[in-house]
Amino acid sequence: QVQLVESGGGLMQAGGSLRLSCAASGRTFSRYAMGWFRQTPGKEREFVAAIRWWADSGYYADSVKGRFTISRDNAKNTVYLQMNSLKPEDTAVYYCAAGGSGSSKNPATYDYWGPGTQVTVSS
């Protein structure tokens, strides 16, 4: 079992930066691929980024490539999402998830989810 809790969301002006954190409990965290997804009301959950358990380079949605960076610290049981050059269209509830293959964009392939953190980007 892995329990996930996101933090770091908030209100930011366009062009600014935020760093989301996802703290995981459970001894097997380091063996899970991790992903970040986001969702706005009335829309499906959208893939943002993913990283394999051995923490090589991440995989990104085209909409965030070059602006967002996913990383993980297995010693701290934490995965991060550094978000730069934020745009109003980045506004969403952001979720971290454990499972998948480390590159999977399909939320159904992830086993565990956090409750989400709201990110709001004003223009």
Side-chain angles (χ1 to χ4, degrees), residues 3-10 20-23 35-40 45 81 83 92-98 112-120:
Q3 293 182 325
L4 306 171
V5 178
E6 303 93 341
S7 62
L20 304 183
S21 299
C22 175
W36 284 97
F37 290 76
R38 64 189 182 186
Q39 190 169 23
T40 54
R45 197 161 291 190
L81 185 68
M83 306 187 295
V93 177
Y94 282 72
Y95 300 90
C96 72
Y112 304 100
W113 292 84
T117 185
Q118 176 71 46
V119 172
T120 302

Side-chain angles (χ1 to χ4, degrees), residues 64-84:
V64 306
K65 200 171 294 183
R67 300 188 297 122
F68 290 11
T69 302
I70 188 172
S71 62
R72 66 189 295 164
D73 185 336
N74 288 339
K76 295 182 178 180
N77 280 10
T78 302
V79 63
Y80 304 98
L81 185 68
Q82 178 67 43
M83 306 187 295
N84 299 328

Side-chain angles (χ1 to χ4, degrees), residues 24-107:
S25 63
R27 294 179 296 174
T28 59
F29 167 79
S30 62
R31 292 304 184 100
Y32 282 91
M34 299 296 295
W36 284 97
F37 290 76
R38 64 189 182 186
Q39 190 169 23
T40 54
K43 293 190 176 181
E44 293 185 352
R45 197 161 291 190
E46 175 191 21
F47 170 77
V48 175
I51 189 167
R52 293 190 176 103
W53 68 269
W54 63 86
D56 65 350
S57 58
Y59 298 83
Y60 300 93
D62 288 343
S63 59
V64 306
K65 200 171 294 183
R67 300 188 297 122
F68 290 11
T69 302
I70 188 172
S71 62
R72 66 189 295 164
D73 185 336
N74 288 339
K76 295 182 178 180
N77 280 10
T78 302
V79 63
Y80 304 98
L81 185 68
Q82 178 67 43
M83 306 187 295
N84 299 328
S85 302
L86 283 163
K87 303 176 180 180
E89 50 264 43
D90 294 319
T91 296
V93 177
Y94 282 72
Y95 300 90
C96 72
S101 64
S103 59
S104 175
K105 300 179 179 181
N106 183 356

